[in-house]
Amino acid sequence: MSNPRLTALDATHRSLGATMTDFAGWDMPLRYGSERDEHNAVRTRAGLFDLSHMGEITVTGPDAVKALDYALVGNMSTIGVGRARYTMICQEDGGIVDDLIVYRLGEDEYMVVANAGNAQIVLDAITERAAAFDAVVRDDRDAYALLAIQGPESPGILKSLTDADLDGLKYYAGLPGTVAGVPALIARTGYTGEDGFELFVAPADAEQLWRALTDAGKDAGLVPCGLSCRDTLRLEAGMPLYGHELTTALTPFDAGLGRVVKFEKEGDFVGRKALEAAAERAAAKAPRKLVGLIAEGRRVPRAGFSVVTGGEVVGEVTSGAPSPTLGKPIAMAYVDAAHAAPGTSGVGVDIRGTHEPYEVVALPFYKRQK
């Protein structure tokens, strides 16, 4: 087995005493101390993440937008310059290859950000699908380090280091700027359910920026955060994780995310026919729905555990963890439509042979106060 890849901040993580883990072929910080403390810092103050394992793919040229409209299920032509959009790339049979964020950096320049574990697959698929268009697909995974500062104090911390117009920066928008003397693409995006920013910078500038953000955030209670609390934060916010809520076995309509598929856009796109059929099936009767489950007891459900009622299996847990914000174990699960309504009684999770009672709730579990 090859050695895991290291981010530009590897030495920084080790100097902070991080517990490291192999994640999608990268050596990444799992936690620095208490994952509960890191989670709560993001909810109440601010947290700093290294997300340099994510995969950046740049698409340029006169037909860049046409190539992406064909390759992806969303409508890329309606993204304004400086804005971003959540979308997906699907197989011909409609199965989800990955969920993505696409940033429009210029008139004919787009940056696609893929999940770490799928970056090569997505790069290969977009390259193949763009071949018939006047567009260039570039692997920019080594061109960027990615830092995220998330939490209610993050705008104030970042403002102290940049003269970029953060107040005017909307959610799912990005602008070029300088942060602590470092050129960056500043994006108001994140995966925590909180306000925050993702900063795309050259790998050589990552340490300088991490130090500057750490120093600027000291008085505001900023702490470094690992992948473990990133998972509990996104779970509370009801955000799907590829390999859990999203897989090639599911279409966006199965995942309750059919809204990302834009049939009204011009021309064909990969998976259109299969997705039209999936949309019709979902409209007739969704076989299963993605719901939230809140434990009545203390036992934590994990991915793959069965959701049961009256001795029958009616669903499957996709993600589960203790929720620091709610103080109880929570889970996301695909559940038969008949048992998916919030408040449905008699639903449990089979945890090692015991049917633990759970309350069915609508997602997300947590929504920040605007």
Side-chain angles (χ1 to χ4, degrees):
M1 183 176 152
S2 60
N3 291 329
R5 297 181 68 181
L6 307 180
T7 77
L9 291 161
D10 185 71
T12 301
H13 302 317
R14 290 173 197 282
S15 72
L16 291 167
T19 300
M20 305 295 286
T21 188
D22 185 330
F23 183 82
W26 291 81
D27 212 12
M28 297 297 293
L30 191 62
R31 71 182 73 81
Y32 298 85
S34 153
E35 53 206 51
R36 176 178 292 267
D37 289 349
E38 292 172 23
H39 178 111
N40 289 334
V42 175
R43 285 278 176 260
T44 59
R45 303 185 305 279
L48 181 60
F49 298 81
D50 176 12
L51 305 180
S52 302
H53 59 315
M54 301 295 278
E56 295 86 8
I57 300 156
T58 304
V59 183
T60 57
D63 284 349
V65 68
K66 287 181 181 171
L68 286 171
D69 269 344
Y70 174 69
L72 313 179
V73 301
N75 191 345
M76 300 300 108
S77 61
T78 56
I79 307 174
V81 174
R83 299 306 301 263
R85 181 160 301 158
Y86 177 79
T87 188
M88 293 182 186
I89 181 167
C90 290
Q91 298 178 152
E92 197 66 70
D93 67 1
I96 302 166
V97 175
D98 200 11
D99 62 336
L100 313 164
I101 294 181
V102 178
Y103 297 88
R104 188 173 185 184
L105 303 181
E107 196 57 42
D108 296 322
E109 184 180 7
Y110 295 79
M111 182 170 70
V112 179
V113 181
N115 286 299
N118 293 330
Q120 188 64 49
I121 296 165
V122 173
L123 173 67
D124 292 344
I126 292 177
T127 302
E128 185 185 322
R129 295 174 188 188
F133 298 89
D134 187 3
V136 177
V137 180
R138 190 172 70 231
D139 179 1
D140 270 347
R141 284 176 289 177
D142 293 336
Y144 291 105
L146 176 56
L147 280 65
I149 179 169
Q150 299 279 300
E153 296 290 341
S154 56
I157 295 167
L158 196 55
K159 269 183 199 172
S160 71
L161 296 173
T162 183
D163 56 7
D165 179 18
L166 298 188
D167 290 336
L169 189 64
K170 295 184 171 73
Y171 187 50
Y172 266 72
L175 83 168
T178 304
V179 183
V182 169
L185 171 66
I186 305 166
R188 201 164 207 150
T189 46
Y191 194 51
T192 62
E194 297 299 336
D195 191 11
F197 303 87
E198 294 183 320
L199 308 169
F200 295 85
V201 299
D205 292 331
E207 281 192 354
Q208 179 186 331
L209 182 56
W210 181 280
R211 279 197 305 271
L213 287 164
T214 300
D215 291 346
K218 266 200 184 87
D219 292 344
L222 173 94
V223 301
C225 292
L227 292 180
S228 190
C229 84
R230 181 169 152 90
D231 192 49
T232 52
L233 289 159
R234 70 92 195 166
L235 179 55
E236 287 184 351
M239 294 175 167
L241 175 63
Y242 195 86
H244 289 255
E245 289 72 40
L246 309 175
T247 70
T248 51
L250 297 168
T251 73
F253 294 95
D254 297 324
L257 291 164
R259 66 177 186 278
V260 305
V261 182
K262 302 299 182 188
F263 295 120
E264 71 276 12
K265 66 178 174 175
E266 276 183 38
D268 196 16
F269 62 91
V270 177
R272 181 191 269 273
K273 275 199 170 59
L275 289 167
E276 283 171 347
E280 280 179 28
R281 285 196 304 274
K285 181 177 181 289
R288 282 190 167 178
K289 289 193 171 163
L290 188 63
V291 301
L293 299 173
I294 300 179
E296 292 179 21
R298 308 302 309 164
R299 297 183 76 186
V300 178
R302 298 296 180 193
F305 285 13
S306 295
V307 180
V308 292
T309 183
E312 275 187 45
V313 175
V314 296
E316 185 177 307
V317 171
T318 52
S319 298
S323 163
T325 305
L326 275 64
K328 296 175 179 180
I330 59 171
M332 285 201 272
Y334 283 108
V335 173
D336 291 349
H339 305 281
T344 301
S345 59
V347 172
V349 175
D350 185 341
I351 302 182
R352 296 180 187 86
T354 307
H355 291 187
E356 298 286 336
Y358 273 74
E359 180 192 353
V360 179
V361 298
L363 293 168
F365 300 97
Y366 167 85
K367 221 173 188 168
R368 71 181 171 98
Q369 302 301 308
K370 296 289 185 203

